[in-house]
Amino acid sequence: MDILITSITNSIELFIKYHRYYLRGTGITLLVSFFGVFLGVFFGLLLALMNLSKNKILKGISRSYINFIRGTPLLVQVFIVYLGLPLVGFGFMPDLWLVIIAVSFNSSAYVAEIVRGGIQSIEKGQTEAARSLGMTQRMAMRYIIIPQALKNILPALGNEFIILIKESAIISVVGIHDLMYQTDTIRGISYRPFSPLVFAAIIYFIITFSLSRLLNVFERRLRAGDQSI
Amino acid sequence: MIKVSNLNKSFDKLHVLKGIDEEISQGEVVVVIGPSGSGKSTFLRCLNLLEHPTGGEIVFEGISITDEKNDINNQRAKMGMVFQQFNLFPHMTVLGNITISPMKVKGLTKVEAEKIAFKLLKIVGLYDKADSYPSQLSGGQKQRIAIARALAMEPEVMLFDEPTSSLDPEMVGEVLDVMKKLASEGMTMVVVTHEMGFAKEVGDRVLFMDDGVIVEQGTPKELFENPKHPRTQDFLSKIL
């Protein structure tokens, strides 16, 4: 019993001593996740629209891209982007940008599939009504289909955000100073291999759990708008 | 106003419309009746190209809308359509439903579009529902809003695709009343329906379709009281 109490006190002391590392790491993790999600949704929407278009070439590009991303590990993708982009003239980019690009490329493929499902779940009659009123296909998408689809896919999208925050730990392998990287640093300099990891896990959990709560509230507010069924 | 010649439509191997010739004049109320699967809805949906004909030509106000170079959106803005399933936009209020197209397609301001919308809401008797969402309305109310939404584009012709078929019986009357009012004001209308009472009372001309062709047509009096074709006689004897 005494051993347990001592080890907990020691751990807390360790956390207090190195809390700046955790703070900085958490900042980078949040930054990468935020931009990863933001760009991921943007590209994902684009990919989904390409995928649903009648143009066979656009459709083909989008399908192959989605299949490639979903069929290869994020770890490999991060290395390919991180080491590959500088080879083709993007050497000027800071490391942080490179990993944000890698993460958002990955996320966009999953978001694209979610969005495609959302768009296809809207009844055909909605498009027909919009088109019968003289709207172009683009207007029908923008004002009628996508707003309804986004509302339907919000839970799935939220889930994707949460996955992305956790998966972003992989960027530590290319030396980005995110939460996981900082945790490893603390383990090294403190000669304590275990307890820093526990704090990292707690921080990841707090982020993802609060995000999922936040999304719940947001979702409920959206539903209140239409008071349906 | 609308001239249809040798209209054909196939879905894969299924030949739904087998050469339809028809002319609809300004101010006319044309009612299309016939057994289900006879192609009457497909015929109506071809008129604003929601279905693309596989053969033949449709001319609207002198412009061939089946011509590949034609931008159908210009004509659709002048052709209102009312659907069996209403197809209101559930994420918008009633007012939003009615004003979105005049604003986005015709470029009206919000104030202009809402002025039209409130005038129409008065006509369909739902002035107080402007801020409701479609999910808060009954079937009959939804359909009346759908009619108002189509009218907000100030169309030259209104197409009705079985507008009362998915309504509870007690709500059919309120929708038909709005349609009668429209007809009496001289709106050109093409109505696919099973409401024979409406056809008799309001129709200038009734078309009987069966198996992808117009089998017989005439004034309601001619067609209902003295059908000439055996298939028309057979159909009418089953439903009247």
Side-chain angles (χ1 to χ4, degrees):
Chain A
M1 198 62 196
D2 280 350
I3 298 173
L4 188 66
I5 291 170
T6 327
S7 103
I8 289 177
T9 348
N10 285 345
S11 298
I12 290 170
E13 272 166 16
L14 174 124
F15 182 75
I16 293 167
K17 188 171 173 198
Y18 295 107
H19 74 277
R20 282 209 177 75
Y21 289 79
Y22 281 120
L23 220 56
R24 244 177 276 146
T26 306
I28 297 290
T29 290
L30 286 176
L31 190 79
V32 170
S33 305
F34 177 78
F35 283 104
V37 162
F38 190 77
L39 294 174
V41 169
F42 178 77
F43 289 126
L45 202 58
L46 208 69
L47 281 168
L49 292 177
M50 282 167 70
N51 199 353
L52 292 168
S53 94
K54 286 197 183 90
N55 185 324
K56 288 224 170 72
I57 299 169
L58 289 181
K59 201 186 173 86
I61 293 173
S62 162
R63 277 255 54 97
S64 342
Y65 179 84
I66 292 169
N67 283 330
F68 175 76
I69 294 290
R70 295 206 305 174
T72 52
L74 176 59
L75 182 62
V76 176
Q77 293 163 15
V78 168
F79 272 122
I80 288 178
V81 171
Y82 186 78
L83 302 172
L85 276 190
L87 290 182
V88 291
F90 290 89
F92 64 90
M93 277 195 177
D95 289 358
L96 199 59
W97 289 22
L98 291 171
V99 293
I100 287 176
I101 289 172
V103 167
S104 63
F105 276 11
N106 176 271
S107 174
S108 67
Y110 293 93
V111 171
E113 286 297 90
I114 295 171
V115 172
R116 182 175 67 102
I119 288 176
Q120 284 177 334
S121 73
I122 307 296
E123 279 174 61
K124 211 171 139 234
Q126 292 288 311
T127 312
E128 290 185 348
R131 298 303 306 274
S132 80
L133 289 163
M135 287 191 208
T136 59
Q137 182 66 35
R138 189 183 288 253
M139 288 180 191
M141 269 290 167
R142 170 152 173 221
Y143 300 115
I144 308 303
I145 307 302
I146 292 179
Q148 292 184 60
L150 283 182
K151 197 163 163 179
N152 289 352
I153 63 178
L154 202 68
L157 223 46
N159 209 22
E160 174 59 26
F161 295 176
I162 288 167
I163 289 172
L164 194 138
I165 290 170
K166 295 185 290 174
E167 301 265 276
S168 75
I170 272 180
I171 63 177
S172 63
V173 298
V174 292
I176 301 297
H177 295 194
D178 75 329
L179 179 54
M180 193 60 216
Y181 185 94
Q182 300 286 19
T183 306
D184 272 338
T185 308
I186 299 167
R187 291 168 72 207
I189 55 184
S190 67
Y191 302 109
R192 300 274 301 264
F194 179 70
S195 42
L197 285 170
V198 176
F199 289 113
I202 292 173
I203 295 172
Y204 275 115
F205 179 77
I206 290 173
I207 298 172
T208 54
F209 189 72
S210 4
L211 183 63
S212 92
R213 296 277 94 185
L214 204 70
L215 284 164
N216 269 343
V217 173
F218 189 49
E219 223 178 285
R220 225 174 301 136
R221 202 166 290 172
L222 270 182
R223 297 236 175 280
D226 58 16
Q227 296 177 358
S228 55
I229 317 153
Chain B
M1 175 179 260
I2 304 177
K3 193 170 187 310
V4 178
S5 30
N6 194 27
L7 181 66
N8 272 273
K9 172 71 186 174
S10 304
F11 294 102
D12 293 326
K13 280 181 190 142
L14 191 65
H15 201 175
V16 184
L17 297 180
K18 301 170 181 168
I20 290 187
D21 295 290
E22 183 51 46
E23 194 162 355
I24 292 151
S25 329
Q26 176 115 36
E28 215 182 2
V29 177
V30 177
V31 180
V32 187
I33 61 169
S36 49
S38 58
K40 51 193 194 307
S41 278
T42 307
F43 168 60
L44 191 78
R45 289 162 58 84
C46 279
L47 295 181
N48 67 353
L49 250 50
L50 281 187
E51 301 292 353
H52 283 266
T54 37
E57 192 185 30
I58 300 169
V59 177
F60 176 68
E61 295 184 324
I63 297 164
S64 171
I65 63 170
T66 39
D67 188 336
E68 275 181 27
K69 278 174 243 142
N70 177 58
D71 179 9
I72 186 62
N73 295 314
N74 297 330
Q75 285 83 40
R76 279 183 181 149
K78 299 181 198 165
M79 300 168 117
M81 187 164 203
V82 175
F83 300 85
Q84 183 178 348
Q85 296 299 337
F86 326 128
N87 296 343
L88 292 180
F89 307 133
H91 60 303
M92 295 177 177
T93 62
V94 163
L95 200 59
N97 267 275
I98 300 176
T99 54
I100 177 89
S101 228
M103 280 161 59
K104 299 301 174 194
V105 177
K106 283 179 149 182
L108 297 192
T109 64
K110 199 165 184 232
V111 178
E112 291 169 326
E114 288 187 350
K115 203 174 143 201
I116 296 173
F118 279 115
K119 196 184 82 194
L120 290 167
L121 282 172
K122 221 174 268 175
I123 292 173
V124 300
L126 292 168
Y127 193 80
D128 55 331
K129 297 289 184 194
D131 296 322
S132 303
Y133 281 87
S135 58
Q136 298 165 314
L137 304 175
S138 72
Q141 290 172 331
K142 279 182 197 164
Q143 197 60 302
R144 285 188 279 156
I145 296 299
I147 294 173
R149 178 176 69 177
L151 289 173
M153 290 298 285
E154 296 172 326
E156 317 269 326
V157 54
M158 287 283 285
L159 311 174
F160 291 87
D161 189 4
E162 306 202 22
T164 56
S165 295
S166 56
L167 295 177
D168 290 335
E170 75 269 23
M171 289 171 185
V172 170
E174 63 190 68
V175 172
L176 292 181
D177 284 344
V178 171
M179 291 167 64
K180 282 175 199 163
K181 208 186 294 180
L182 265 184
S184 70
E185 282 164 11
M187 174 63 79
T188 312
M189 293 163 66
V190 184
V191 186
V192 171
T193 189
H194 294 291
E195 293 292 329
M196 296 304 149
F198 176 83
K200 275 184 200 163
E201 190 184 336
V202 185
D204 294 314
R205 204 143 54 87
V206 179
L207 313 181
F208 172 70
M209 280 184 72
D210 193 14
D211 199 25
V213 292
I214 296 174
V215 176
E216 186 173 350
Q217 61 164 293
T219 64
K221 201 168 158 58
E222 286 166 357
L223 198 96
F224 285 111
E225 286 170 21
N226 195 11
K228 295 197 175 58
H229 200 284
R231 276 196 279 177
T232 320
Q233 291 165 356
D234 182 47
F235 176 71
L236 290 175
S237 72
K238 277 180 195 153
I239 58 155
L240 289 180

